[in-house]
Amino acid sequence: LPAGLSQWFPALEVLDVSGTGLAELGAELLALPCLHTLLAKNNRLGGPGSLPKGLGQAALGRSLRVLNLSGNRFLEMPPALFALRGLRSLSLGGNRLHGIPPDIQELRSLEFLYLGGNFITSIPPELANLPSLSYLVLCDNKIQSIPPQLAQLHSLRSLSLHNNLLTYLPREILNLVHLEELSLRGNPLVVRFVRDLTYNPPSLLELAGRTIKTRNVGYAPSDLPESLVRYLSLASNCPNPKCGGVYFDSCVRQIKFVDFCGKYRLPLMHYLCSPECSSPCSSASQSSTSQSESDSEDEASVAARRMQKVLLG
């Protein structure tokens, strides 16, 4: 960066140095008291000295709100970042990160965190200590599990996890009451969904029940055995607002939606972490399998109403 930058542009608020081949951001930045947005994408940052020393104590450390370092060569998140207590948006996608340090919890003002396209294998529980985080992008990594603590992110609205190694989700994720977008395609979880959808279709009883309900076929209790009348009373509407279908046995129990092939909206039926699932990442013990079927379905119905939108990839 040119010397005297702060003298030439003392009131500079937005600086974009993306794609300029920079290997370090010079100390000149530290004297820009009004800079709130710094874009340094697609450079050669990542080595020692990439960020100026004393970043957190300088004027820039207090003013910066948006920092984009995507498309660089960082092997780990620079410790200097965690001193940027006013940071609201941080992007480190397309780097070479292998983990997320627990110090991420120091960025208490963070609302948007983009870490897609790295080599991250796990999510630290400390990530849940970000009270304002609304958008979390962890796609295209190597993540195998989601810590149940993530359910403490009560402000979270969008969670992108596609193209990872997930085989289940913890049932605690139901506590994300404001979650509107969930992206899961490209995980073994969805591969299993497709496999089961192909080889384990609904029973004839459920298919008949769906037909009766969706076509509004009339019947009286005296027309059918009591068990069938009771079964038909268990029909629930698909939580997908664009689907007019119903379900019985293949009930939605936990997380309700998955984007499929980046195009369609489909309900993810009972293939996630249900009370019968012994996911090692869930705080629900095996004893939870004794919970009644009706309790599970009631819980699912409440959650289904909470999640009205689905990410379309």
Side-chain angles (χ1 to χ4, degrees):
L1 294 178
L5 183 64
S6 60
Q7 297 176 359
W8 299 338
F9 306 104
L12 188 66
E13 296 182 353
V14 179
L15 177 61
D16 188 349
V17 291
S18 301
T20 55
L22 286 175
E24 64 179 49
L25 297 174
E28 296 80 9
L29 289 174
L30 301 180
L32 295 172
C34 301
L35 190 68
H36 59 71
T37 299
L38 175 57
L39 309 178
K41 303 179 293 181
N42 305 323
N43 283 299
R44 295 185 293 116
L45 302 170
S50 292
L51 301 183
K53 294 181 179 180
L55 181 60
Q57 292 73 40
L60 178 63
R62 294 186 293 272
S63 65
L64 201 60
R65 297 292 180 266
V66 177
L67 177 60
N68 192 326
L69 297 173
S70 293
N72 280 284
R73 303 177 181 181
F74 289 101
L75 298 175
E76 59 182 19
M77 297 181 71
L81 294 182
F82 306 126
L84 302 175
R85 304 299 171 83
L87 203 61
R88 295 177 184 172
S89 175
L90 175 61
S91 299
L92 276 162
N95 277 275
R96 304 170 185 178
L97 305 178
H98 284 76
I100 306 172
D103 288 342
I104 191 72
Q105 65 184 335
E106 301 298 328
L107 300 178
R108 303 281 292 177
S109 300
L110 207 59
E111 299 174 3
F112 177 91
L113 179 59
Y114 189 102
L115 297 175
N118 283 286
F119 302 95
I120 298 170
T121 57
S122 63
I123 303 172
E126 290 80 4
L127 188 63
N129 296 330
L130 299 177
S132 301
L133 193 63
S134 299
Y135 299 89
L136 177 57
V137 182
L138 295 168
C139 61
D140 300 292
N141 279 287
K142 298 181 181 298
I143 298 169
Q144 301 182 42
S145 63
I146 303 299
Q149 290 88 348
L150 217 62
Q152 300 171 23
L153 292 172
H154 298 304
S155 297
L156 197 64
R157 295 184 177 275
S158 178
L159 177 58
S160 296
L161 293 166
H162 50 273
N163 299 330
N164 276 286
L165 302 176
L166 297 171
T167 57
Y168 61 86
L169 291 181
R171 61 176 295 147
E172 287 84 357
I173 205 167
L174 283 174
N175 295 329
L176 296 174
V177 295
H178 296 296
L179 190 65
E180 298 174 351
E181 300 176 349
L182 174 63
S183 180
L184 290 171
R185 70 182 184 277
N187 282 280
L189 175 71
V190 181
V191 173
R192 180 174 53 151
F193 169 75
V194 175
R195 183 191 64 217
D196 290 350
L197 184 68
T198 302
Y199 296 107
N200 294 312
S203 65
L204 291 177
L205 175 63
E206 177 164 354
L207 290 174
R210 289 181 183 180
T211 300
I212 291 173
K213 288 295 185 178
T214 56
R215 297 189 179 183
N216 296 318
V217 178
Y219 64 91
S222 58
D223 297 334
L224 299 171
E226 182 180 351
S227 60
L228 292 181
V229 174
R230 186 166 55 249
Y231 179 79
L232 288 171
S233 70
L234 297 175
S236 297
N237 293 325
C238 175
N240 184 345
K242 292 191 176 182
C243 177
V246 299
Y247 62 84
F248 293 89
D249 298 330
S250 299
C251 58
V252 178
R253 289 197 178 101
Q254 303 297 332
I255 296 304
K256 308 310 168 304
F257 300 104
V258 61
D259 51 355
F260 183 57
C261 299
K263 182 177 181 181
Y264 303 103
R265 295 186 178 189
L266 291 178
L268 187 61
M269 294 185 176
H270 63 276
Y271 302 102
L272 296 189
C273 185
S274 72
E276 292 76 28
C277 176
S278 58
S279 79
C281 200
S282 175
S283 64
S285 65
Q286 280 293 85
S287 63
S288 66
T289 58
S290 63
Q291 181 181 10
S292 69
E293 195 82 4
S294 59
D295 288 343
S296 300
E297 294 179 11
D298 289 344
E299 184 181 35
S301 299
V302 173
R305 289 193 293 270
R306 292 172 178 169
M307 301 176 64
Q308 295 298 313
K309 298 179 181 179
V310 187
L311 184 62
L312 289 180

